[in-house]
Amino acid sequence: MSFLYLVIAGVIMGGFTVITGGGAGALYVSILTLGFNVSPVVATATSLATMFPVAAISSGLHAKSGNINFKIGWIMIGWGTIGALIGSYFSNDIPTNHYNRLIGSIIILLTVLMIIKKRQPVKLVKSVYHSNKYTFCQTSFFGIISGLLSGLVGTSGTTTIIAGLTLLGCTTFQTVGTSVFVLSGISLVGFIARATSGSVDWLLASILAGSAIVGATLGANLLKISIAKQSKSQNNQIVDALLILGNLIMGLALLFK
């Protein structure tokens, strides 16, 4: 595969990240393994090295628009860090097929719950109080599952984060912004855990990350100009549909992989 295609893929995935809150880690891994004959171990580490700077830039862009719920985000990052470390440690011991089917089933179930939730009136979630044990447990659960996804197979894990934020009552743009914020933290932990093995292809990571940052910047401008202005309530049916479709595709891909 030509490096030009890699740049194009990076730009598209960067735009996808900032608009939908998803890290597209599985696509990065697929591109690297199929297009450049990179081993799965190197592809996973390189994917995580790519996702962190893209997610960090995307988080900054969303923070300027007030789209990030930091209280929810920090809880998810904390538990996601634990999940990522556990996932990285056991990544070579758990049968991939069994893991994929389990996570795929969970994602599909959560996607169905997302659809149900989106059909109900949505209230803006301004804070998460630690005294609310149910909410805290929900937030922690989605965070640790996301971390496990990142550590075990190098995917971003944002499918569970997006589902969790939706079920917690976040609006469309809160969901997207907080998701990339959580992704930046979890991907950094996963990257550090994998990078210590020296398995990152820094050339491919640099090309992907650089082009993805360009895509994220373009995507943020598109979101602000052509989408966000259409919804004063911070909800958008087009982005909601993309979130649900993306989660469904990821769940089915893991289930039947």
Side-chain angles (χ1 to χ4, degrees):
M1 179 182 288
S2 169
F3 285 104
L4 176 60
Y5 293 126
L6 191 63
V7 171
I8 294 173
V11 171
I12 294 173
M13 292 303 100
F16 179 84
T17 297
V18 78
I19 291 175
T20 68
L27 291 177
Y28 286 138
V29 172
S30 298
I31 290 171
L32 294 171
T33 53
L34 298 176
F36 291 88
N37 296 319
V38 174
S39 68
V41 173
V42 174
T44 298
T46 304
S47 170
L48 290 168
T50 300
M51 284 191 291
F52 169 66
V54 177
I57 294 296
S58 298
S59 295
L61 295 171
H62 276 291
K64 290 181 179 180
S65 300
N67 294 337
I68 299 178
N69 186 312
F70 287 101
K71 289 188 176 181
I72 290 179
W74 281 118
I75 293 173
M76 286 187 168
I77 286 177
W79 285 101
T81 297
I82 296 173
L85 292 174
I86 294 173
S88 296
Y89 184 79
F90 291 105
S91 60
N92 295 323
D93 300 326
I94 300 177
T96 303
N97 290 337
H98 294 169
Y99 172 80
N100 286 339
R101 288 170 187 162
L102 174 62
I103 297 300
S105 299
I106 292 174
I107 290 174
I108 291 174
L109 174 61
L110 292 175
T111 304
V112 172
L113 294 177
M114 282 178 65
I115 295 172
I116 296 173
K117 183 70 176 180
K118 280 298 179 181
R119 293 179 63 87
Q120 301 172 351
V122 180
K123 295 181 180 179
L124 185 65
V125 177
K126 294 184 178 179
S127 62
V128 171
Y129 297 96
H130 290 260
S131 59
N132 188 334
K133 294 182 179 180
Y134 179 71
T135 302
F136 179 77
C137 288
Q138 271 189 308
T139 307
S140 303
F141 169 77
F142 293 120
I144 199 165
I145 293 298
S146 177
L148 285 172
L149 273 168
S150 177
L152 281 170
V153 294
T155 60
S156 62
T158 49
T159 47
T160 51
I161 291 297
I162 289 170
L165 292 169
T166 300
L167 295 177
L168 285 167
C170 291
T171 62
T172 302
F173 296 116
Q174 263 195 330
T175 296
V176 172
T178 308
S179 176
V180 292
F181 174 66
V182 175
L183 172 61
S184 64
I186 293 177
S187 60
L188 175 60
V189 173
F191 162 64
I192 292 174
R194 292 299 183 99
T196 53
S197 64
S199 55
V200 178
D201 187 317
W202 290 107
L203 174 61
L204 295 178
S206 299
I207 295 173
L208 265 178
S211 56
I213 288 172
V214 172
T217 304
L218 295 174
N221 290 329
L222 175 64
L223 194 66
K224 184 182 298 184
I225 295 172
S226 64
I227 298 178
K229 287 184 178 180
Q230 299 176 11
S231 176
K232 295 181 180 179
S233 65
Q234 290 292 295
N235 285 296
N236 187 278
Q237 292 182 346
I238 296 176
V239 178
D240 283 339
L242 289 174
L243 297 179
I244 291 172
L245 181 61
N247 273 22
L248 185 60
I249 291 174
M250 176 60 73
L252 292 173
L254 287 171
L255 189 62
F256 296 103
K257 187 174 181 179

